[in-house]
Amino acid sequence: MAHGLLEPIFDGEKTRNARTVLRVIILLTIAAAAVSSRLFSVIRFESIIHEFDPWFNFRATKYLVQNGFYSFWDWFDDRTWHPLGRVTGGTLYPGLMVTSGIIYHLLRFLTFPVDIRNICVLLAPGFSGLTALATYLFTAEMTPSPSAGLLAAAFMGITPGYISRSVAGSYDNEAIAIFLLVFTFYLWIKSLKDGSVMWGALTALFYGYMVSAWGGYVFITNLLPLHAFVLICMGRFSPRLYVSYTTWYALGTLASMQIPFVGFLPVRSSEHMAALGVFGLLQIVAFVEFIRQELPSKQFQTLLRSLVLLIFLVSLAGLVMLTLSGVIAPWTGRFYSLWDTGYAKIHIPIIASVSEHQPTAWPAFFFDLNLLIWLFPAGIYLCFQTLRDEHVFIVIYAVLASYFAGVMVRLMLTLTPIVCVAAAMAISQILDIYLVADKPTQAEVPKESTESSKATAFLPEQLRSTRRQFVGIYSFASKFSITGSIIVYLLIFVAHCTWVTSNAYSSPSVVLASRLPDGSQHIIDDYREAYYWLRQNTPDNAKIMSWWDYGYQIGGMADRPTLVDNNTWNNTHIATVGKAMSSREEVSYPIMRQHEVDYVLVVFGGLLGYSGDDINKFLWMVRIAEGIWPDEVRERDFFTARGEYRVDDEATPAMKNSLMYKMSYYNYNSLFPAGQAQDRVRGVRLPAEGPQLSTIEEAFTSENWIIRIYKVKDLDNFGRDHASAVAFDKGHKKKRSAKRRGPRVLRTE
Amino acid sequence: MAPRTRSSVTPSKSAGTVPTTSTEPSTSALQSTNLKHASSAADIVNGAWSNYLAHTPQRVKLLDAFLAFLVGVGALQFVYCVIVGNYPFNAFLSGFSATVGQFVLTASLRMQTNLQNVEEFKTISNERAFADFVFGSLLLHFFCVNFIN
């Protein structure tokens, strides 16, 4: 678009070096902004791992750097899922750990002995800089505009939709996966444009890396075939498509099968069948094209075309048959719930129980993407205007990712790259037009005047546009106002992103921060207090039972074996814990004995008003337990007659007698004047008489009562049951007044 | 295999070493006349076959023979798998996908070096195509050998 005055700056040969330097400087600045905007939590709090999942990744990484790669690869972890253990090497995506392990050894080799924790904490910001770079490359493939790539990189660097999963300390798979996603797409577009085996093989390599890093690789596995399929349907089959797709598929599938967790899935499960089907279809189409060029007969060509259709339909029917007969595994619940959005809630409560798996509300889109979300459709529209092969990719990606992001909150992450790219294309289009300051010069006037004179023949003289030589917006004022408003929007975007990152996404959930009235910060550090108590005051192999949310943190910080953790691979085992938590003591004590539980840990936010505690999660425990033992645990029992979920005087007997209720509110009354005990989360006054525990005893309660740890008692020495033993200790002797003996029973021993 | 390649492997630059740099218009005219009047399916196949023999350069025929060999090996493995069972499934998969992968890589090389497709592959010379082929094949064999255990 640049011509006239600016031509030497934008297009001239002389300034090419200057432009390159400028571009490098801009990209470096963007990378620096991307890294530094993610450091709020490190600067405010400290350099620690944040959420739940990263604690396992961190623990695995530590294992990797201590024991080497091979023992990491077949690591049997006997400190999780206590009686069962976990074959960790075969049930995790090793890409993240291996990446930080490589960085660790590289830095040591360069004589920078950096602690592995700091590498893990800062891995996500580092890779976000690379993501910005990959977005630049990807967008630069899409449009010739010089600014689109840089804009897209800038958007990708600071947009909160991506920052939310990649702040410093968020050592999760997404930290490197989004970089790999965007870079794989870049390589795919590159290979499709050139039709080169090398780029196709590189696509496959990075696809393999992506498979090793994140379960979301299925998105790529289905997006690339869809792109190829749509291209074929549009009649855009070309040898380039054949070369790039078949190279990617043949190498990428083999690469993905090297990961033990994936194994034979690419040939056995429904999620990967689209790729295989399009691979087969491409062979047929290529062969038919090959013959078609040589045989000019019209009828023969129709015959061939119908042959392709026939084979396609037959193989589709074969696929359906294989799926129905069970040779090919059907969609797993996690993916199936994306299509049937009510499925998870009915059949697999454990999927529905995760807050990230809920549908997205509208404000979330504006909150995470600000102005990008309304430029995004405009960018897609622009793609339709020059619909080349790679623009088809953008359109498909946009449609699919928008749908998925609407279904599930956490999939906003896969939408973000394409939103950035499309919005950058829209803005760069505007800027390309309105940033050119010159008017059409006099030389162009005669040419245009002939056209306008033609127009004046039909149109009345009064219209200004017919009297003028050329039509368009050429005044400086209008151009300035357009570009000025765009720039203002961009500045607002930066401010918004910084604000959102600072306020919403930079809190380590391990440490709870609150403000005192004078504005100073008050840190609530109960989690670590309790975990370190466990670490220092319990035997090394004391088994901890808690709800699965805290499994990874206990494993990571307390370094004790747990029964269940965040890797929810065994639903029955989780339901066992749920049953133990939601049953009466007489029922749960045998369960805990059978599983050799030494300590039970509950999270209780009633004193502090911390709403993510176990009483609020309790219904999910009940539901998950009910799924396995519908006769013994019933959700209905935990609601009052009017269908309310209460913890106060009117709580149901099942609620009051459940282990979770008792553990949460044990001794809680003692903090308050008599009868004044108050639960600040539920906002209710508790019954005057607190619950009594007989089979477990309080071992530790953290400063703000957030974490309470109970020790499971041993069997009674005299063989009594615990309830009567406790009653005896309290002085309630057995009433013997009536001297009545129970019905005689035969002693068999 | 139908006579698609009326061309040499290497384009005009290094054409000195290659025996046939066939002239495009005459051949296409020739086979169109041949095949337009073909009535039965057998005639079409025969005509196409003779065209292929007559107008395919030696290198492309070599590639085609290799492709046919790969198809044979792949089919043999598949039949063996169907008869005997797929117990070491990874071994079957790596062997079978080695043939499939090598097939598509070779077919890609054949497409890239085809003179008809010069417009499609502007950035890829024949030497580059061959180097890419080698790179892809090495990668493929690394993965296969790794996967077969």
Side-chain angles (χ1 to χ4, degrees), chain A residues 555-732:
Chain A
M557 286 193 257
D559 190 25
R560 291 291 173 271
T562 53
L563 257 68
V564 291
D565 62 29
N566 304 40
N567 169 29
T568 53
W569 62 275
N570 189 331
N571 198 15
T572 313
H573 209 50
I574 291 177
T576 307
V577 172
K579 184 184 173 190
M581 294 288 196
S582 57
S583 301
R584 308 168 43 183
E585 274 188 83
E586 296 83 53
V587 179
S588 53
Y589 183 71
I591 297 177
M592 294 192 287
R593 291 290 302 181
Q594 280 161 4
H595 291 87
E596 300 174 351
V597 174
D598 295 310
Y599 290 91
V600 188
L601 179 148
V602 288
V603 174
F604 173 64
L607 183 63
L608 211 66
Y610 171 63
S611 62
D613 67 351
D614 276 347
I615 295 286
N616 280 358
K617 289 171 188 166
F618 187 43
L619 280 181
W620 287 110
M621 301 182 205
V622 174
R623 276 174 208 149
I624 290 168
E626 189 182 9
I628 308 286
W629 294 280
D631 297 334
E632 297 175 55
V633 184
R634 277 181 298 272
E635 191 183 351
R636 187 68 198 82
D637 294 343
F638 292 85
F639 292 109
T640 60
R642 285 189 294 165
E644 292 166 316
Y645 177 62
R646 306 186 71 135
V647 294
D648 54 3
D649 279 324
E650 294 175 43
T652 60
M655 183 74 192
K656 276 187 173 169
N657 288 323
S658 68
L659 189 68
M660 173 58 69
Y661 181 89
K662 284 184 173 181
M663 285 193 297
S664 292
Y665 293 111
Y666 184 66
N667 268 347
Y668 189 55
N669 286 18
S670 64
L671 283 181
F672 297 89
Q676 300 285 316
Q678 186 84 13
D679 184 328
R680 296 210 173 103
V681 175
R682 265 66 58 177
V684 290
R685 177 174 297 179
L686 294 169
E689 182 81 8
Q692 300 298 320
L693 285 169
S694 54
T695 58
I696 54 179
E697 59 196 357
E698 186 175 354
F700 177 79
T701 296
S702 65
E703 186 187 356
N704 299 296
W705 289 58
I706 286 186
I707 297 214
R708 313 198 63 185
I709 298 170
Y710 292 85
K711 184 169 172 36
V712 179
K713 284 184 189 167
D714 209 346
L715 288 174
D716 188 59
N717 278 343
F718 299 104
R720 301 166 296 183
D721 61 297
H722 283 99
S724 50
V726 168
F728 181 81
D729 286 345
K730 285 193 176 162
H732 307 304

Side-chain angles (χ1 to χ4, degrees), chain A residues 207-375:
Chain A
Y207 170 73
Y209 190 10
M210 170 77 185
V211 174
S212 76
W214 193 34
Y217 76 90
V218 177
F219 184 59
I220 301 184
T221 323
N222 285 303
L223 195 60
L224 301 194
L226 189 62
H227 183 208
F229 185 66
V230 170
L231 285 181
I232 294 173
C233 289
M234 290 170 81
R236 291 188 175 198
F237 172 79
S238 64
R240 287 177 290 114
L241 179 64
Y242 180 87
V243 170
S244 52
Y245 185 84
T246 53
T247 311
W248 165 72
Y249 183 75
L251 294 177
T253 307
L254 269 175
S256 68
M257 286 195 293
Q258 315 289 322
I259 308 299
F261 194 22
V262 177
F264 297 138
L265 282 185
V267 291
R268 280 271 172 84
S269 76
S270 292
E271 288 95 16
H272 302 76
M273 280 305 124
L276 180 62
V278 171
F279 181 73
L281 183 69
L282 261 178
Q283 307 295 336
I284 298 165
V285 170
F287 187 65
V288 164
E289 283 283 314
F290 178 74
I291 295 176
R292 201 173 61 84
Q293 285 177 347
E294 310 304 329
L295 301 174
S297 155
K298 191 88 177 171
Q299 290 84 350
F300 197 69
Q301 294 200 358
T302 8
L303 192 72
L304 279 180
R305 201 160 284 171
S306 49
L307 191 71
V308 170
L309 206 64
L310 188 74
I311 292 176
F312 178 65
L313 290 178
V314 164
S315 46
L316 197 68
L319 197 64
V320 172
M321 286 294 296
L322 281 177
T323 312
L324 287 182
S325 65
V327 176
I328 295 171
W331 294 81
T332 57
R334 264 160 222 270
F335 290 108
Y336 189 72
S337 60
L338 288 176
W339 303 111
D340 184 356
T341 46
Y343 179 78
K345 195 154 252 173
I346 300 168
H347 298 286
I348 322 169
I350 204 157
I351 293 179
S353 75
V354 180
S355 63
E356 286 174 335
H357 292 176
Q358 306 300 324
T360 320
W362 272 111
F365 284 100
F366 289 96
F367 190 70
D368 275 356
L369 301 165
N370 197 14
L371 91 154
L372 305 182
I373 195 65
W374 50 262
L375 284 167

Side-chain angles (χ1 to χ4, degrees), chain A residues 195-196 240 258 290 294-295, chain B residues 3-4 31 112 120 128 146:
Chain A
S196 148
R240 287 177 290 114
Q258 315 289 322
F290 178 74
E294 310 304 329
L295 301 174
Chain B
R4 179 178 188 186
Q31 70 200 21
Q112 286 174 335
E120 291 281 349
R128 162 81 191 277
N146 194 25

